[in-house]
Amino acid sequence: MNILALESSCDETAAAVVRDGRELLSNRIASQADEHRLYGGVVPEIASRRHTEAISLVTREALEQAGMTLADIDAVAVTYAPGLIGALLVGVNFAKGLAQAANLPLIPVHHLRSHIAANYLVYPDLKPPFLCLVVSGGHSHIVRVEDYTRFTVLGRTRDDAAGECFDKAARAMGMPYPGGVHLDKAAQSGDPHAFSLPHPHVEGSPYDFSFSGLKTAVINLLHRAEQRGETVNINDLSASFQHTVCEILCANTMKAAEQTGDTTLVLAGGVSANSGLRAAMEQACAARGMKLYVPPLSLCGDNAAMVGAQGYYEFLAGNTAGPDLNACATLPIE
Ligand code: KG4
Ligand code: ZN
């Protein structure tokens, strides 16, 4: 089954063709990051306008790269939630038009489910059930993937998402948007023990996260240094920050694994590109005899290939939509 998949939930307009949920036939992404960088973050209205401009071309490119026309496609999958509402609506409307014109089934896909499914494209042996840490710019979840379309959330962030926290700390350190990747690079030549930062816990919820206090600690530390005319070693601060975030993510995930008894852990979402997180999770999994699956860097961030992968399993579960499909800014993964 060939699925044409579309993604427009944030600032990447993407289209891909995926066969049977596992085989990537094409993958095109038009990123708007350069434009949003001027404003230090994603400007929702600009995002919607750029998606509108890019989506037809990106779709045509994805079909061409796969050596296909619409006649070779069996269904259209699209991200419909969660995300920026105006941005999502562009993809949803385009997918609806396409599905209706070509008389194809329309498959709505949850963005976080698709981040998890990115792993199916590269690990043929990976099958649910497994435990998953989904860490993106908007969400941080510890999820038990019971089956391809059945999820149980064990832990979640109470405030900022991990990626958001990376981006805000990076911005305070003068790095361009999106700062996570720059902070990761700076951290690689810093001392992770140079600064002692708080490890916020959520009372009574051992798997939940709270990152806003950590972000505030970094901002306050920089302000205090500025007031005293002192310079802060940005590499050291980046390394200390990254080390702290990864310790928190790792500790809670391992606690959840102990409870569920899962021996397979999967990472997903933009922050799974982080070198410190990958290393910490590798170490933690090796120490417990757990198997770790990490998406390749090319599939960590937003893309449509992962939508095609999850879309296949949604289709098998009968989760298709009619012409009244709408987008949702927020929607639980379960
Ligand atoms: O999953 P994603 O592409 O978009 C959302 O669904 O939100 O995640 C984007 C997030 C951004 O916050 C970005 O800074 C972060 O992932 N990110 C990283 C790295 N690469 C991307 N954070 C830390 N280290 C990285 N190497
Ligand atoms: Zn995402």
Side-chain angles (χ1 to χ4, degrees), residues 9 13 27 31 55 60 67 152 165 193 205 216 221 265 273 282 305 313 317:
S9 67
T13 319
N27 191 20
S31 177
I55 199 156
R60 196 175 314 154
T152 306
C165 188
H193 303 291
S205 303
T216 308
L221 190 150
L265 177 68
E282 261 164 39
Y313 294 103

Side-chain angles (χ1 to χ4, degrees), residues 1-71:
M1 177 179 195
N2 296 325
I3 294 185
L4 173 63
L6 300 159
E7 149 67 32
S8 69
S9 67
C10 190
D11 60 347
E12 333 275 357
T13 319
V17 180
V18 175
R19 181 173 291 153
D20 296 336
R22 295 276 176 169
E23 194 187 342
L24 182 52
L25 301 182
S26 68
N27 191 20
R28 302 294 300 174
I29 303 175
S31 177
Q32 313 168 358
D34 287 347
E35 191 167 356
H36 296 295
R37 193 167 293 131
L38 303 173
Y39 306 96
V42 178
V43 182
E45 183 171 334
I46 294 178
S48 310
R49 290 169 185 271
R50 297 297 165 262
H51 286 311
T52 303
E53 289 165 4
I55 199 156
S56 299
L57 185 62
V58 165
T59 304
R60 196 175 314 154
E61 285 174 355
L63 285 169
E64 272 170 20
Q65 195 179 49
M68 290 183 174
T69 68
L70 258 189

